[in-house]
Amino acid sequence: MNIKFRRFSEFLIEKAIFLSGIISILFVVLIFAFLLKEGLALFKYVSVKDFIFGAEWYPISEPPKFGIISLIMGSVWVTAGAIIISVPIGIAAAIYISEIAPRKIRGILKSGIEMLAAIPSVVIGFIGITTLVPLVKNVFGLSTGLTALSGSIMLAFMAIPTIVSIAEDAFYSIPKRYKEAALALGATHWQTIWRVLIKAAFPGIVAASMLGIGRVIGETMAVMMITGNVAKIPNSIFDPVRTLTATIAAEMGEAVRGSDHYFALFAIGIVLFVITFLINLIADIYINRELK
Amino acid sequence: MTKIAVEKLNLFYGDFQALINVDIRIPANKITSMIGPSGCGKSTLLRTVNRMNDLVDGARVDGKIIIDGDNVLDSGYDLVSLRKRVGMVFQRPNPFPMSVASNITFGLRVHGSAKRGDFDNIVEDSLKKVLLWDDLKDRLDRSALSLSLEQQQRLCIARLIAVKPEILLMDEPCSALDPIATERIEQLMIELKENYTIVIVTHNMQQASRISDSTGFMWLGELIEYGATDMIFTNPKQKLTQDYITGRAG
């Protein structure tokens, strides 16, 4: 191989890698631009305030109403419930796997949790409809089991694998010397976990929780199947709700392209994007601050 | 006066015997150093005294380590009270990723052994004893990880002093430090021996001869020779010891 050819092939490879990198960024920019273009068109018909804070979502009545506060509240309730369930369980599971479980059980648990992450969301939704929804109905004596609570429980199941595996990594990567220092000072195993390891792993725990939340907020299929799809501001976790994501998924097929309804669904997409962006931003700021 | 009496101590990691019939009496309020080549069992011996070896899978031990009349290797012995009395300083400084003050109060909080109102005084006393107070009194809220390595190691010693131990085990405490920091830590140890029984493991023979009152030489899991530091370094009884300290073996 002569030098010229080697230089040329190096050049080609470099450019090919550069191109791949640029393309992924380009796609993100294009998607974002498209989302903005289609979504912002809605505001020729309704004000931003009426859109965000309007209580009624009647996109195809005459005149149509595009208020999404009930959808936002639906997402908030379902997500909040899922966080309350999944974050403590996920972190506790991560502590058990990384600090307490015997080596054999650790392997079994880790692959089990990875399998849980591999279940498609529509299957989780389906299992939820057939098992969880009747259970919630009977246990709480409700007229329907299709509630925010059912959605929260199913979403918690989907967030837990993410939270466990990232939090477990965080615990695993804590230098062993912190643990030794605590034990050598006479701390019990539990005191060591509670006062040192959780503290040391905190940035990782926050990251794990945020990624879990990210998964929950964006989830569509399972919540569409089991939360009842009622676009009404919920009074409690036992009410049926409809989330932002489910609304887009359910209505995009029937919205006429270029209609106000179509633009409204894209505007919901912008809202989702902003929420997810804010969560990631907060997580980022928090993680960077902790590390210093 | 003997503070720690090790009797017929054997320790196994699985099939490997890391300590063979070790007998040693460590005097109170003196510095005792253990020397020997890497893997000779000196750190293992140290970590058996505060039972840190319990953490190692497959470690098995028989024999006795008697501190103040009780065998600390008894399965029923209370590890928390043992480790409160027997503090350990590690090879790499290992302050917790918390503030300077929290590092020092960690032991107190864990043991519930002091009132919150006394914490400030204890922090000050402990830092004074390791000569860090003047440097750090305005930086008590700073992360301990922002300190220099020498300061970190001092802080680790202060953290032990706060829980009022009787014995300090030091596992190559200066190996991560530069020569100047090493000298200052050695000075600190000499000051501390008035109140504490100190056992130090070191690969640095000059260090052992500079600071310790008695020295033990270990080789392949056995204690070959143990006696006054002067004797070990100037007039060893065993040929192996002589070969090691003169650099012909090890």
Side-chain angles (χ1 to χ4, degrees):
Chain A
M1 228 190 323
N2 65 33
I3 289 180
K4 249 187 185 163
F5 179 75
R6 211 158 56 202
R7 283 213 186 117
F8 182 66
S9 70
E10 280 290 307
F11 173 84
L12 268 189
I13 291 168
E14 236 171 64
K15 291 301 165 206
I17 292 171
F18 171 76
L19 208 65
S20 325
I22 283 296
I23 282 178
S24 57
I25 295 172
L26 193 72
F27 281 154
V28 172
V29 171
L30 284 178
I31 288 172
F32 186 60
F34 185 71
L35 186 66
L36 277 185
K37 176 178 158 283
E38 302 288 59
L40 293 179
L42 173 75
F43 300 112
K44 283 184 294 200
Y45 306 97
V46 267
S47 71
V48 176
K49 186 171 157 260
D50 287 347
F51 176 64
I52 303 269
F53 296 104
E56 290 167 314
W57 175 258
Y58 297 124
I60 45 176
S61 45
E62 201 53 51
K65 295 220 163 84
F66 296 111
I68 61 164
I69 192 69
S70 60
L71 309 179
I72 292 178
M73 291 315 287
S75 279
V76 167
W77 278 90
V78 171
T79 306
I83 293 167
I84 290 168
I85 298 167
S86 64
V87 169
I89 293 180
I91 292 170
I95 290 173
Y96 178 73
I97 291 173
S98 62
E99 293 301 323
I100 300 169
R103 195 168 296 161
K104 273 184 205 155
I105 296 180
R106 179 179 309 171
I108 297 170
L109 282 176
K110 280 185 82 164
S111 31
I113 281 163
E114 270 151 33
M115 293 223 320
L116 191 57
I119 300 173
S121 69
V122 66
V123 174
I124 289 198
F126 185 60
I127 293 171
I129 280 198
T130 51
T131 60
L132 181 70
V133 167
L135 188 73
V136 167
K137 180 179 176 212
N138 293 334
V139 168
F140 297 102
L142 307 170
S143 55
T144 171
L146 297 164
T147 61
L149 177 65
S150 315
S152 295
I153 294 173
M154 286 327 279
L155 284 185
F157 267 108
M158 301 176 67
I160 282 173
T162 310
I163 296 176
V164 173
S165 60
I166 294 172
E168 202 259 339
D169 277 350
F171 279 104
Y172 190 79
S173 59
I174 299 173
K176 208 174 148 229
R177 56 180 193 274
Y178 293 153
K179 191 175 169 181
E180 279 189 331
L183 292 173
L185 272 166
T188 61
H189 193 177
W190 170 244
Q191 286 170 326
T192 304
I193 292 171
W194 181 246
R195 291 174 185 268
V196 178
L197 301 186
I198 288 187
K199 239 182 170 124
F202 201 73
I205 291 174
V206 172
S209 306
M210 286 298 169
L211 285 170
I213 294 168
R215 167 120 210 239
V216 164
I217 286 187
E219 175 48 38
T220 308
M221 199 37 91
V223 285
M224 195 158 83
M225 291 167 81
I226 58 178
T227 55
N229 278 319
V230 178
K232 213 178 107 228
I233 297 177
N235 293 317
S236 80
I237 196 117
F238 299 115
D239 282 347
V241 295
R242 175 178 229 182
T243 63
L244 294 164
T245 50
T247 307
I248 298 177
E251 296 178 9
M252 195 49 104
E254 59 206 43
V256 180
R257 194 184 161 97
S259 67
D260 44 5
H261 185 196
Y262 172 88
F263 293 139
L265 294 179
F266 272 98
I268 292 177
I270 296 177
V271 171
L272 267 174
F273 177 85
V274 169
I275 293 174
T276 316
F277 178 78
L278 283 179
I279 287 175
N280 286 343
L281 188 71
I282 293 167
D284 243 31
I285 292 171
Y286 205 83
I287 289 165
N288 286 332
R289 197 181 59 191
E290 278 295 309
L291 284 178
K292 270 170 202 160
Chain B
M1 200 188 90
T2 302
K3 183 71 182 176
I4 309 169
V6 177
E7 294 174 7
K8 294 211 166 26
L9 185 68
N10 288 286
L11 186 138
F12 303 83
Y13 293 130
D15 293 333
F16 174 73
Q17 185 162 10
L19 292 176
I20 304 163
N21 252 333
V22 174
D23 273 283
I24 191 169
R25 284 169 187 279
I26 290 166
N29 299 96
K30 296 272 192 272
I31 299 178
T32 302
S33 51
M34 306 301 299
I35 58 170
S38 300
C40 69
K42 54 194 194 303
S43 286
T44 301
L45 176 63
L46 203 66
R47 297 168 71 91
T48 310
V49 176
N50 66 344
R51 291 194 41 190
M52 288 300 280
N53 276 328
D54 287 19
L55 295 176
V56 180
D57 280 343
R60 201 156 46 79
V61 62
D62 64 51
K64 286 181 182 170
I65 295 181
I66 292 166
I67 299 177
D68 296 335
D70 292 317
N71 180 12
V72 303
L73 297 182
D74 272 346
S75 55
Y77 199 89
D78 177 14
L79 284 186
V80 169
S81 80
L82 171 67
R83 289 172 181 167
K84 216 168 131 181
R85 285 192 297 148
V86 184
M88 183 167 233
V89 179
F90 294 81
Q91 200 166 349
R92 274 199 62 179
N94 56 357
F96 299 120
M98 312 170 186
S99 70
V100 169
S102 306
N103 261 281
I104 292 177
T105 56
F106 180 86
L108 308 173
R109 284 178 283 137
V110 160
H111 300 304
S113 56
K115 289 193 217 91
R116 300 239 157 208
D118 297 335
F119 279 11
D120 288 347
N121 286 332
I122 294 173
V123 168
E124 184 173 342
D125 282 351
S126 308
L127 285 176
K128 274 183 176 159
K129 281 188 185 131
V130 298
L131 310 175
L132 270 183
W133 176 249
D134 290 334
D135 289 343
L136 296 186
K137 63 184 173 205
D138 303 319
R139 295 194 279 164
L140 297 177
D141 294 331
R142 283 270 296 276
S143 165
L145 302 183
S146 68
L147 305 180
S148 74
L149 278 179
E150 183 202 342
Q151 288 175 324
Q152 290 188 12
Q153 197 63 300
R154 281 174 189 270
L155 180 65
C156 290
I157 297 172
R159 178 172 72 181
L160 294 180
I161 287 173
V163 295
K164 300 197 176 78
E166 297 154 22
I167 299 167
L168 298 179
L169 306 174
M170 302 195 170
D171 189 359
E172 304 191 18
C174 302
S175 64
L177 305 181
D178 63 50
I180 294 168
T182 298
E183 199 195 320
R184 285 192 289 212
I185 296 280
E186 286 175 5
Q187 203 55 47
L188 174 64
M189 284 187 240
I190 291 168
E191 278 161 38
L192 290 174
K193 78 174 181 181
E194 203 178 309
N195 297 309
Y196 306 93
T197 301
I198 298 177
V199 187
I200 173 175
V201 159
T202 176
H203 58 240
N204 178 338
M205 282 181 279
Q206 286 75 30
Q207 181 168 60
S209 69
R210 276 194 301 264
I211 61 170
S212 59
D213 301 287
S214 44
T215 297
F217 168 60
M218 293 187 72
W219 181 269
L220 298 178
E222 286 183 85
L223 182 70
I224 303 295
E225 191 168 351
Y226 174 59
T229 299
D230 296 346
M231 292 299 287
I232 296 284
F233 281 97
T234 57
N235 193 13
K237 293 192 187 69
Q238 302 290 327
K239 178 155 185 317
L240 196 53
T241 314
Q242 180 156 19
D243 287 351
Y244 182 73
I245 59 175
T246 54
R248 271 184 299 226

